[in-house]
């Protein structure tokens, strides 16, 4: 499976010559199985990477897929609920259903040999196909999930208010999880009364 890994432009030449060492070149550390695990984080398409990247051929036995949207929500809001949701979203690639996550993040838990780094130009047409298909399949999966489980709608609402507060500095949103799985979103607009959404 081809995965696109963001790299520091200053290290690009060294990586092309030597591969990616999990101990020295990891770009993410996450809590898994009770310990912090070093990972090489990458994506299924280069469109999800703003920086420079390399394409690598990954052994699916040594990689997992996670919901990157949840990681972003956690990093931006520092809300532990999103971190727990992100950890829960991590699945073995064999168990991942294509289109399940809007932005699937690949977590590689081993080093990448230089022989496994491939020419990005040869992968472009395949990426375009994956991008187009994943968007449509993701929407279909989302509609199916919402119709089968109302809890999915909860997280969509939380995501909406989180993004709203990040886009508008006058709005703050805080999510609190209560007993019984209820979520409370406290929204405060500058110079106005605060209001609460129970979901």
């Amino acid at each position: 499976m081809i995965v696109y890994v963001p790299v520091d432009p200053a290290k690009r030449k060294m990586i092309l010559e030597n591969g990616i060492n999990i101990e020295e070149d990891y770009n993410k550390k996450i809590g898994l199985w009770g310990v912090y695990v070093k990972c090489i984080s990458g994506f299924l398409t280069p469109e999800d990477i703003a920086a420079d990247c390399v394409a690598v051929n990954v052994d699916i036995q040594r990689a997992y897929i996670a919901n990157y949207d949840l990681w972003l929500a956690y990093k931006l809001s520092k809300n532990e609920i999103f971190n727990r949701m992100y950890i829960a979203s991590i699945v073995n690639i064999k168990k991942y259903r294509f289109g399940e996550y809007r932005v699937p993040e690949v977590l590689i838990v081993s080093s990448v040999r230089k022989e496994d780094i491939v020419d990005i130009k040869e992968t472009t047409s395949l990426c375009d196909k994956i991008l187009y298909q994943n968007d449509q399949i993701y929407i279909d999966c989302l509609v199916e999930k919402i119709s089968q489980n109302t809890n999915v709608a909860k997280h969509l609402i939380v995501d909406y208010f989180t993004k709203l507060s990040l886009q508008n500095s006058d709005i703050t949103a805080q999510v609190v999880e209560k007993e019984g799985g209820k979520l409370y979103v406290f929204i405060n607009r500058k110079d106005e009364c605060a209001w609460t959404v129970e979901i």
Side-chain angles (χ1 to χ4, degrees):
M1 179 174 78
I2 301 297
V3 176
Y4 298 88
V5 177
V7 294
D8 181 345
K11 288 186 172 183
R12 185 182 177 84
K13 187 179 177 185
M14 184 187 70
I15 285 172
L16 292 174
E17 291 173 355
N18 303 305
I20 306 173
N21 186 309
I22 189 77
E23 292 299 321
E24 298 170 10
D25 303 318
Y26 71 92
N27 55 9
K28 183 173 266 189
K29 216 174 184 181
I30 54 174
L32 283 177
W33 313 298
V35 295
Y36 278 99
V37 177
K38 293 174 182 175
C39 303
I40 299 166
S41 168
F43 299 90
L44 296 178
T45 79
E47 297 295 321
D48 295 321
I49 301 171
D52 204 3
C53 68
V54 294
V56 300
N57 194 4
V58 174
D59 177 1
I60 62 171
Q61 302 287 346
R62 303 293 295 155
Y64 298 84
I65 285 193
N67 187 339
Y68 188 67
D69 284 333
L70 293 173
W71 176 259
L72 278 183
Y74 169 62
K75 293 302 281 184
L76 294 169
S77 69
K78 302 299 180 190
N79 191 316
E80 197 54 37
I81 293 171
F82 290 120
N83 187 39
R84 290 199 298 270
M85 288 168 65
Y86 172 75
I87 297 297
S89 79
I90 299 171
V91 294
N92 188 287
I93 287 178
K94 287 183 176 178
K95 294 182 179 178
Y96 175 70
R97 189 170 70 164
F98 189 64
E100 191 170 352
Y101 302 145
R102 188 181 68 85
V103 181
E105 177 188 22
V106 181
L107 300 171
I108 306 162
V109 292
S110 65
S111 296
V112 176
R113 301 174 308 164
K114 68 174 183 178
E115 294 85 7
D116 291 327
I117 297 176
V118 297
D119 188 350
I120 288 184
K121 292 175 185 174
E122 294 176 7
T123 65
T124 307
S125 59
L126 177 63
C127 291
D128 293 340
K129 192 174 179 183
I130 287 174
L131 263 177
Y132 172 74
Q133 288 181 345
N134 190 70
D135 284 351
Q136 187 55 53
I137 295 170
Y138 171 73
I139 291 167
D140 293 343
C141 285
L142 196 57
V143 170
E144 183 185 337
K145 278 182 187 176
I146 291 170
S147 62
Q148 290 178 359
N149 185 351
T150 53
N151 282 334
V152 174
K154 265 192 205 181
H155 299 301
L156 288 174
I157 294 167
V158 169
D159 186 50
Y160 167 76
F161 283 118
T162 303
K163 284 179 179 171
L164 187 66
S165 66
L166 293 170
Q167 290 168 354
N168 188 337
S169 59
D170 288 345
I171 297 173
T172 57
Q174 182 183 5
V175 182
V176 177
E177 188 175 23
K178 295 290 185 181
E179 294 170 10
K182 285 195 180 234
L183 295 178
Y184 293 89
V185 186
F186 298 93
I187 300 106
N188 187 27
R189 190 178 191 122
K190 198 174 181 181
D191 302 327
E192 291 183 21
C193 295
W195 45 288
T196 307
V197 177
E198 178 187 320
I199 50 177

